[in-house]
Each structure stands twice: as structure tokens, then as C-alpha cells.
Amino acid sequence: QVQLVESGGGMVHAGESLRLSCQASGFSFINWYISWVRQAPGKGLEWVSDIDNTGTGTYIDSVKDRFTLSRDNANGRVVLQMNNLQPEDTARYYCVRGGRNTFLQGTYLRGQGTQVTVSS
């Protein structure tokens, strides 16, 4: 079954950290960029970061120097390490098969998401 399954969300205070995982299955993981996107309450989906098959990540400005994306090609897993979380990071986070351009095109495989809530 082709799927992405996210885990690792939770409720934290500002300044704390969370580690999100995305487990892929059913497709050739190494051939795909993987993105994280998020949806804050009352807002649309926002691309956050992607990683290519060599492990090079790109990020939106608001999370640079706080978030780090890594991947384990052997096990089909991507990890988003989120440090110094802020209330504006509160959102449901989704793993997407494909990079930023794929996300912007609007057709992609996406997981069910994991909730991140940051209190001040």
C-alpha cells in the first residue's frame, strides 16, 4: 500500500522541541523528494521544507535555523527536528511525496498529519 504515516506531534511550550517522523511505504522512496507542509487553524496549507534524495534540505525563512530535515533512505523515513518552537508554528503537519514544486502543482500523496500545538 502506497502511504505516508506521520508521528511525533504533541503540545509543548514556546522554546521547546519536537521531532516529527514520516514513514513511507509502497513506493521507491529514494527516487522522491519528501516535503513537510502545515496547516494552521483557519489557514491554507503552507509548504515548510523539503529534502532531496541526497539529504539536502530547503526551508521557508520562518523556520530556517530552527528546523532540520533528515532522511533515512534505507528505512524509508524522514525526520523533521523542530527546535525553539513558537506559537506561530501551531498547525497540523503533513508529510508529502514530492518537493515544493510538486506541492505547488496541487496533486500529491499526503499523509493524515500530526498535530503540533505550541503555547506561549
Side-chain angles (χ1 to χ4, degrees):
Q1 183 178 4
V2 177
Q3 62 178 0
L4 299 167
V5 178
E6 301 93 336
S7 61
M11 297 180 64
V12 298
H13 293 103
E16 295 181 342
S17 300
L18 280 173
R19 186 179 173 94
L20 306 185
S21 291
C22 171
Q23 182 66 55
S25 60
F27 64 94
S28 183
F29 179 78
I30 196 170
N31 290 335
W32 289 87
Y33 278 61
I34 300 294
S35 291
W36 283 92
V37 303
R38 65 187 180 185
Q39 187 165 28
K43 297 188 177 180
L45 285 168
E46 175 185 43
W47 176 86
V48 175
S49 177
D50 68 20
I51 189 166
D52 68 14
N53 59 4
T54 69
T56 300
T58 56
Y59 307 87
I60 55 171
D61 287 346
S62 62
V63 308
K64 280 180 181 176
D65 300 323
R66 299 190 298 122
F67 290 12
T68 303
L69 193 51
S70 61
R71 67 188 291 162
D72 177 353
N73 287 330
N75 292 297
R77 187 180 303 121
V78 168
V79 172
L80 182 66
Q81 177 67 41
M82 306 187 296
N83 298 328
N84 190 23
L85 283 160
Q86 300 299 314
E88 54 265 34
D89 295 316
T90 294
R92 190 162 186 87
Y93 284 71
Y94 299 90
C95 184
V96 165
R97 187 177 68 174
R100 180 175 179 272
N101 288 340
T102 298
F103 168 70
L104 293 177
Q105 289 168 6
T107 303
Y108 46 81
L109 174 70
R110 190 185 79 181
Q112 293 300 304
T114 185
Q115 181 66 35
V116 171
T117 302
V118 185
S119 61
S120 57

